[in-house]
Amino acid sequence: MIFEICAVNIQSAVAAMRAGAHRIELCSALDVGGLTPSQGLIRAAVHQLNIGVNVLIRPREGHFCFTDQELDIMLDDIRFCREAGANGVVVGALTPEGHLDLPKMKAMKAMAGDMEIVCHRAFDFTADPGAALEQLIGLGYQRVLSSGQCPTAYEGRHLLKKMVDQAAG
C-alpha cells in the first residue's frame, strides 16, 4: 500500500516522510479544499524530502470551472513545479455542465510532460464518473483522487470499487 499525506507546510511534510509516507501532496488552504502552495514551499519540499512531492494546482477556492486566465496561471504553476523537480502535479477542471474540461485537462497534461499527473477532487463533481474515468485514462492521467462522489471515501466506497474495477486497478 502506498501511504500519501497532504502537507501544508515543510514541518508536516518532513514529519510525514519520517513517519514512513511514500509520497506527499503539497498544498495550502485545506480549509477551502486546497490551493497551490507557494513556490518557496515547493522548492523546500522538493529539496528536503527524499520521497515524491506532488503539488496541488488550484488557483482559487470554489468551483472547478476555470477561465482561460486561470488556466494560464495553472500552466505557469505546473511549469514551475516541473522545473523545481516535483514528482507530479494534481489538477482538475470541469465545464459548467459537470464534465471534464478536456481542452484544459489536455493542456495541463502537456505542460506536465514526464511528471506524474493526477486528477484531483474535481472528479467528484463530474456528472458521469465512468465516462470521466475513461477520458482521464485516455489522456494519460495516472491516478484519480476521489471519495467516490461522497463526503467521505467510506461513504463512496461502492463507486470507488466500481472505478478500480473499471480501470483494471
Side-chain angles (χ1 to χ4, degrees):
M1 177 186 300
I2 302 283
F3 185 44
E4 180 175 330
I5 296 290
C6 282
V8 297
N9 57 51
I10 196 63
Q11 295 85 356
S12 62
V14 169
M17 179 185 70
R18 289 182 180 154
H22 298 99
R23 185 172 47 229
I24 296 294
E25 180 186 335
L26 197 63
C27 53
S28 67
L30 282 176
D31 58 325
V32 297
L35 300 176
T36 305
S38 73
Q39 291 183 357
L41 178 55
I42 295 167
R43 275 194 202 99
V46 167
H47 290 107
Q48 293 181 37
L49 303 178
N50 59 11
I51 58 175
V53 175
N54 288 354
V55 181
L56 178 65
I57 304 297
R58 188 173 177 213
R60 58 153 173 79
E61 61 188 87
H63 60 79
F64 298 103
C65 300
F66 296 108
T67 66
D68 290 340
Q69 294 83 6
E70 289 170 323
L71 175 64
D72 289 342
I73 292 166
M74 292 187 292
L75 293 175
D76 193 44
D77 287 340
I78 294 168
R79 180 183 308 107
F80 174 82
C81 290
R82 191 181 67 235
E83 291 169 357
N87 178 69
V89 289
V90 183
V91 303
L94 301 177
T95 67
E97 298 77 29
H99 301 287
L100 290 177
D101 190 329
L102 293 177
K104 288 179 176 67
M105 297 296 285
K106 286 177 186 177
M108 290 186 283
K109 169 67 173 129
M111 183 59 72
D114 293 337
M115 287 193 305
E116 181 179 34
I117 189 152
V118 178
C119 182
H120 61 46
R121 295 283 308 272
F123 182 87
D124 283 336
F125 296 90
T126 58
D128 183 345
L133 181 60
E134 291 301 322
Q135 292 170 326
L136 290 168
I137 292 168
L139 291 173
Y141 280 66
Q142 286 96 4
R143 292 187 294 120
V144 176
L145 301 180
S146 174
S147 62
Q149 296 196 319
C150 291
T152 69
Y154 181 78
E155 292 171 289
R157 67 191 179 280
H158 301 293
L159 179 59
L160 292 171
K161 168 76 169 102
K162 182 179 175 183
M163 291 182 344
V164 168
D165 292 344
Q166 179 182 342

